[in-house]
């Protein structure tokens, strides 16, 4: 008896009924510009808008169809490409879903093809902070002023790389010891300024970007910050990423008995569940908890 073959999503979704309003091929650049304006009106960050546009452009290119002709099989093939992490699959699917919902809400399509696709499950993250010894070794060996400041902002202020890239002299209030930050989703926050960051602030201009892009009008990109930190770590023999400095920030605060609600506020998370992904419970803390019973 011939064994049953596992269902194939591509075959199941081949040539489903497609309902498109207007020109079926569309103009991708015009659509992405119109979508960008829509997202700006919703106060999404330029970084998010740019990344979303890149995802849709790659999807349309790889699918070989028009931007209004997307089918479930195109979406499934795109998010199940070999080598993608579960988190990337989930992020790409969320972007495509936002795009298709916008097409539907603005009357460019009558249907949402993402509703006929499975939603990738996002893997639960595990805290991966670098150790105190590793951080101190990096700070002792780093000899570039810019790289040192970037590392301090990540480890002692908990800033993300795209937030570090945009730090300006005007954001640092040495009198009140505050740091002004615009985070994910264009959400502003005022953070207490760490003494080490306050000390290094004197080496940077009081106005303008701390990390200007050479030859361009504006700050460096987030990728440049990530590279600067990662290369510094590599030269120090530390196998880690820039984001693990943010993990260090959250984990160290919790290890020093800072209340979780305060840690959540300093990390600028909407949910304490997100904060928990950045805070590692050490063996010593777990043992102390058991001993307290």
């Amino acid at each position: 008896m011939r064994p049953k073959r596992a269902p194939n999503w591509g075959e199941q979704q081949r040539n489903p009924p497609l309902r498109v309003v207007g020109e079926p091929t569309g103009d991708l650049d015009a659509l992405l510009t119109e979508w960008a304006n829509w997202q700006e009106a919703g106060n999404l960050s330029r970084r998010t808008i740019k990344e979303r546009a890149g995802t849709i452009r790659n999807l349309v290119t790889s699918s070989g169809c028009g931007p209004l002709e997307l089918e479930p099989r195109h979406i499934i093939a795109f998010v199940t490409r070999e080598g993608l992490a579960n988190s990337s699959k989930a992020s790409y699917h969320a972007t495509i879903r936002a795009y298709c919902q916008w097409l539907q809400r603005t009357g460019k399509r009558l249907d949402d093809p993402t509703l006929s696709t499975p939603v990738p499950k996002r893997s639960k993250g595990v805290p991966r902070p670098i150790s105190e010894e590793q951080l101190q070794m990096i700070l002792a060996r780093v000899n570039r002023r810019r790289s040192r400041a970037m590392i301090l902002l990540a480890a002692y202020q908990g800033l993300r790389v795209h937030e570090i890239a945009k730090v300006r002299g005007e954001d640092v209030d040495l009198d009140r010891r505050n740091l002004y930050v615009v985070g994910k989703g264009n959400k502003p926050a005022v953070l207490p300024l760490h003494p080490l960051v306050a000390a290094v602030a004197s080496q940077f201009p009081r106005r303008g970007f701390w990390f200007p892009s050479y030859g361009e009008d504006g700050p460096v990109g987030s990728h440049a910050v990530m590279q600067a930190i990662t290369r510094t770590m590599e030269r120090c023999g530390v196998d880690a990423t820039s984001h693990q400095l943010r993990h260090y920030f959250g984990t160290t605060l919790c290890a020093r008995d800072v209340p979780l609600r305060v840690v959540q506020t300093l990390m600028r998370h909407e949910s304490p569940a997100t904060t928990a992904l950045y805070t590692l419970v050490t063996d010593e803390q777990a043992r102390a908890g058991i001993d307290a019973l």
Side-chain angles (χ1 to χ4, degrees):
M1 184 176 179
R2 180 178 297 176
K4 292 184 178 180
R5 186 163 58 93
N8 183 294
W9 264 100
E11 292 180 1
Q12 288 182 3
Q13 300 296 334
R14 195 182 306 279
N15 299 322
L18 180 65
R19 293 173 292 168
V20 179
V21 178
E23 178 63 33
T25 57
D27 184 303
L28 180 57
D29 289 335
L31 276 175
L32 291 180
T33 298
E34 186 179 347
W35 188 34
N37 294 334
W38 173 285
Q39 294 173 92
E40 286 180 359
N43 204 31
L44 270 69
S45 69
R46 291 185 178 180
R47 173 173 169 266
T48 297
I49 294 172
K50 182 178 179 180
E51 289 178 351
R52 281 183 165 188
T55 296
I56 299 304
R57 192 176 295 279
N58 289 338
L59 169 63
V60 171
T61 301
S62 65
S63 301
C65 66
L68 298 178
E69 297 176 318
L70 290 171
E71 301 175 17
R73 61 190 177 94
H74 297 140
I75 299 167
I76 293 168
F78 185 78
V79 300
T80 57
R81 289 169 293 155
E82 187 176 355
L84 285 183
N86 289 339
S87 58
S88 297
K89 294 177 182 179
S91 295
Y92 287 146
H93 191 274
T95 292
I96 298 167
R97 186 166 64 247
Y99 171 70
C100 292
Q101 288 175 346
W102 170 74
L103 292 178
Q104 190 177 33
R105 290 184 65 181
T106 55
K108 295 174 177 58
R109 281 190 69 137
L110 297 178
D111 63 333
D112 178 358
T114 63
L115 296 179
S116 299
T117 66
V119 179
K121 185 177 180 180
R122 192 182 297 270
S123 299
K124 184 178 180 180
V126 177
R128 300 173 294 113
I130 67 169
S131 68
E132 182 70 35
E133 293 75 15
Q134 287 175 319
L135 176 59
Q136 296 309 319
M137 180 176 63
I138 292 170
L139 291 175
R141 294 185 181 182
V142 62
N143 54 15
R144 295 181 180 177
R145 179 175 60 94
R146 282 166 57 113
S147 297
R148 180 181 179 82
M150 291 175 180
I151 292 169
L152 291 174
L153 287 165
Y156 292 105
Q157 298 289 170
L159 267 58
R160 306 171 178 92
V161 289
H162 72 91
E163 296 166 345
I164 294 172
K166 296 180 292 186
V167 169
R168 305 171 305 160
E170 297 93 327
D171 299 331
V172 181
D173 188 338
L174 292 175
D175 295 329
R176 294 182 175 86
R177 301 295 291 272
N178 287 331
L179 175 65
Y180 178 79
V181 180
V182 178
K184 293 177 68 174
N186 280 334
K187 295 178 181 177
V190 179
L191 304 175
L193 191 64
H194 191 279
L196 290 177
V197 178
V200 81
S202 62
Q203 303 174 20
F204 290 86
R206 296 298 300 270
R207 301 189 64 83
F209 293 109
W210 276 18
F211 314 112
S213 179
Y214 297 120
E216 296 183 18
D217 183 19
V220 297
S222 57
H223 186 68
V225 175
M226 188 184 305
Q227 279 191 327
I229 295 176
T230 302
R231 288 172 180 171
T232 300
M233 290 177 168
E234 290 174 350
R235 286 193 292 269
C236 295
V238 175
D239 183 15
T241 66
S242 57
H243 204 58
Q244 285 177 255
L245 294 172
R246 183 166 160 83
H247 285 234
Y248 164 87
F249 176 76
T251 294
T252 304
L253 289 174
C254 284
R256 295 179 182 172
D257 298 324
V258 177
L260 183 61
R261 182 69 181 89
V262 177
V263 179
Q264 177 190 345
T265 299
L266 292 173
M267 298 195 75
R268 292 158 289 128
H269 288 150
E270 292 188 359
S271 167
T274 305
T275 305
L277 301 178
Y278 288 80
T279 52
L280 178 70
V281 176
T282 65
D283 292 340
E284 291 77 10
Q285 288 173 303
R287 188 170 300 280
I290 292 295
D291 292 343
L293 292 174

